[in-house]
Amino acid sequence: MSIDPSRLGPMANAIRALSMDAVQAANSGHPGMPMGMADVATVLFSQFLKFDPAAPKWSDRDRFVLSAGHGSMLVYALLHLTGYASPTIEDIRKFRQLDSVCAGHPENFLIPGVECTTGPLGQGFAMAVGMALAERHLNATFGDELVDHRTWVIAGDGCLMEGINHEAVGLAGTLKLGRLNVLWDDNKITIDGDTSLSTSEDILGRYAASGWHVASCDGHDFADIARALSEAAADPRPSLVACRTVIGKGAPNKQGGHNVHGSPLGADEVAAARAYLGWTAAPFEVPADILADWRSLGARGAEARAAWEDRAAASDRGAELARRMAGDLPAGDDAAQTFAAWLDGAQKVATRKASEMALEVLTPLVPEMVGGSADLTGSNNTKTKATPPLTVADYSGRYVYYGIREFGMAAAMNGMALHGGVIPYGGTFLVFADYCRNAIRLSALQHARVIYVLTHDSIGLGEDGPTHQPVEHVMSLRMIPNLNVFRPADVIETAEAWQLAVAARHTPSALILTRQNLPQLRDAANSAGELRSARGAYRLKAAAAQRKVVLLATGSEVELAVKVAGALEGQGIGADVVSMPCWELFDAQDAAYHADLLPAGVLKVSIEAGVTLGWQKYVGDGLTIGLDRFGASAPAEVLFEHFGFSVEKIVPQILARLA
């Protein structure tokens, strides 16, 4: 069933009406972009997008990403008009209010039809690159009959100006992600005014130089829009379509100006727009015939989904795809048995090497794990024998060479995780987590199972000096809600961190790993047959003499804490050693466990080669041994001694406090 072309105008005006009504009712929001891109969105949804409102999570649906998330009423209107269960018209009436799923920017955890949380400009675009990458990977694995869909993006000038855009464009062009199509709202307006104030870039030229197909269209001519989108869909390269639009189209006195970008039109202009558009329906009402046109699109999608379900049921690979898309891990405990056997060893390795060892076990057993690195593969140790390169020649590969694109890598991994069927992990140096911090934050906000491998975790990296030595980074990552930050102390804790990270469906993880070798501190005797890191912290060593001190440490400093405890015990002072590989998991434990591990009436001392801010919540008025300044360039062992991370310098401080 196709829509009569004469009906497209009224359908687009329904988007405009709902958008201006919602923003006006909220007295807050961005009406300009939804009104300007209403025609393009109508053509996309009516002629190109594969979707079924009755099954928002259908695996083979096209992905639609509103990268210009400030124009959120565009996607809310589209979802409502096409018949998704959410948002309802009542939700739209309460746009931007506390009890409405129609938040100021689209949030994937509030509405199933929203593919990703957007708003920080450029990231929706970059996540779409990850979605397109996941589609090509799964297509190469499962074939056209099960995986054959596209990723469509609506992006604005801000999305194209942000630095992450350059990273995402380069990656998509290099990998020739031809199922990715970006519709650029080319309205030549930003918040400050005309785009000429801030850019003179040849945008189409830049994309073409990066290996993209580029096209242009009149964003208010339905036939021209359809022509350009057809060309984009047919081209084997990723496509950018410059849709020349008028921001706020339909508001006769404000369209085309920057003041319509982020402010309500005002009651008078809303009334003028209704007259200009010939829209006679009351606010938040859509005439039955126009709504019927929109709802008919959902029926078409239902037919496509039913045909796909028949193919999936008949395929011997259908169940495996369903497992991966559901986020379920493969059955069996082979990995756990392998890691348990490590307890009988005494491996002294850097935790970045221990991570590689754990990945060598996990990646053959969990085929949906797709790794990568931002040009630090040999340092991050993220590639395994089971993860051949993912390239244009072989999308079934499981290792992405992201290049020096930390931010782009992180956002792409978010897109891969949100697409489903892939558990992405990627590496860089911990100090460069700052480059991708906003994407890490969005991993947490979107409940995305993304794993960050962050190596060279402290002054222990040595001679590269303070530009590369992270000091504040671990603590700053711990500040992000819903992010599990693991800083393992040895090979056993590293294996446990990987098991926990892979199993965490709705929580991203950051593994903070050393460059320098660390001794194995855990064996069968002090493991009690359990995944001790799952509780976030545990008593690695109990005091022999009467307990006077509890030493808390993470990562490479746990070994030091054990030595400090030995020195204290030699003087008759009982000292527990508590390893705290993951604060977030420890904080989730009950009060009784906290009280047992951190009992009242004893001196608590934290030891971590990073800033001390934050440790006070565990040690109270105890001691915080750390590094509240930048590092220096020297061998690691020299630096640890110089900055006070030694038994000889820590024990006197403890004795002084106990005196």
Side-chain angles (χ1 to χ4, degrees), residues 478-641:
R478 287 173 178 148
M479 294 169 59
I480 299 176
N482 193 43
L483 174 67
N484 287 337
V485 180
F486 294 92
R487 189 167 185 247
D490 67 356
V491 64
I492 302 301
E493 284 191 0
T494 304
E496 291 181 339
W498 266 110
Q499 293 174 85
L500 293 164
V502 169
R505 286 176 184 254
H506 306 296
T507 303
S509 301
L511 275 63
I512 313 299
L513 307 171
T514 68
R515 177 179 185 265
Q516 73 273 27
N517 291 338
L518 303 180
Q520 182 170 329
L521 301 174
R522 288 267 300 282
D523 56 26
N526 60 15
S527 291
E530 61 178 320
L531 206 67
R532 303 196 74 184
S533 296
R535 303 194 78 170
Y538 61 92
R539 186 174 289 112
L540 176 66
K541 174 197 170 297
Q546 181 182 357
R547 181 193 294 127
K548 297 289 185 65
V549 179
V550 175
L551 302 169
L552 298 82
T554 73
S556 54
E557 288 71 70
V558 177
E559 175 193 6
L560 175 57
V562 171
K563 292 178 179 178
V564 169
L568 293 171
E569 294 279 1
Q571 299 185 47
I573 299 169
D576 285 355
V577 175
V578 173
S579 179
M580 297 189 71
C582 183
W583 283 22
E584 295 76 23
L585 293 180
F586 177 63
D587 289 347
Q589 306 305 308
D590 60 31
Y593 187 73
H594 283 202
D596 177 65
L597 216 56
L598 305 175
V602 299
L603 176 66
K604 300 175 187 68
V605 181
S606 65
I607 309 174
E608 186 173 64
V611 295
T612 58
L613 179 66
W615 276 107
Q616 292 79 7
K617 72 174 181 175
Y618 300 121
V619 305
D621 60 356
L623 282 173
T624 55
I625 308 296
L627 189 62
D628 291 313
R629 53 150 290 176
F630 293 120
S633 179
E637 60 276 11
V638 173
L639 291 172
F640 277 111
E641 174 66 28

Side-chain angles (χ1 to χ4, degrees), residues 163 217 240 439 544 572 596:
C217 69
L240 177 74
D596 177 65

Side-chain angles (χ1 to χ4, degrees), residues 13-65:
N13 286 340
I15 297 173
R16 293 186 172 99
L18 287 175
S19 298
M20 64 184 183
D21 287 345
V23 173
Q24 187 64 28
N27 195 30
S28 173
H30 300 73
M33 193 281 281
M35 296 178 74
M37 283 296 280
D39 297 327
V40 174
T42 299
V43 172
L44 173 62
F45 270 68
S46 64
Q47 299 181 41
F48 293 90
L49 195 73
K50 181 172 65 171
F51 67 101
D52 181 3
K57 295 297 184 183
W58 169 31
S59 294
D60 204 38
R61 70 192 182 279
D62 284 356
R63 271 53 172 184
F64 171 64
V65 175

Side-chain angles (χ1 to χ4, degrees), residues 257-477:
H258 70 278
N259 290 330
V260 77
H261 168 83
S263 300
L265 297 181
D268 291 344
E269 187 68 5
V270 169
R274 281 184 142 71
Y276 182 84
L277 296 170
W279 189 263
T280 59
F284 300 104
E285 291 184 9
V286 179
D289 58 334
I290 298 175
L291 187 60
D293 287 337
W294 275 110
R295 295 289 163 88
S296 70
L297 305 180
R300 183 179 64 195
E303 294 177 7
R305 176 172 63 90
W308 177 86
E309 287 176 342
D310 289 342
R311 295 195 301 274
S315 173
D316 58 1
R317 294 172 291 180
E320 172 63 8
L321 176 62
R323 178 193 70 76
R324 296 193 196 186
M325 294 301 296
D328 298 330
L329 293 177
D333 61 352
D334 291 355
Q337 291 184 24
T338 298
F339 294 141
W342 290 5
L343 291 165
D344 295 327
Q347 302 182 77
K348 184 173 183 178
V349 294
T351 51
R352 63 170 176 158
K353 178 62 178 178
S355 171
E356 179 185 45
M357 294 161 56
L359 283 170
E360 290 286 6
V361 174
L362 288 168
T363 51
L365 299 172
V366 187
E368 58 266 43
M369 291 180 70
V370 174
S373 171
D375 200 53
L376 288 169
T377 296
S379 296
N380 301 147
N381 292 13
T382 39
K383 193 175 185 309
T384 71
K385 298 180 183 69
T387 56
L390 189 159
T391 65
V392 173
D394 184 8
Y395 288 120
S396 70
R398 295 172 55 198
Y399 194 82
V400 183
Y401 290 101
Y402 288 101
I404 304 98
R405 301 183 177 107
E406 295 88 355
F407 197 2
M409 174 183 74
M413 290 197 296
N414 282 338
M416 294 162 74
L418 293 169
H419 176 280
V422 173
I423 300 176
Y425 68 91
T428 187
F429 289 164
L430 173 58
V431 77
F432 299 143
D434 284 345
Y435 280 146
C436 51
R437 182 180 179 84
N438 203 258
I440 298 174
R441 184 177 188 270
L442 279 189
S443 300
L445 183 62
Q446 297 180 101
H447 308 283
R449 179 158 52 181
V450 175
I451 303 171
Y452 295 92
V453 181
L454 303 173
T455 69
H456 296 60
D457 70 339
S458 73
I459 55 173
L461 71 87
E463 293 86 346
D464 275 346
T467 60
H468 282 55
Q469 292 167 359
V471 174
E472 74 279 18
H473 297 73
V474 175
M475 202 63 72
S476 73
L477 289 172

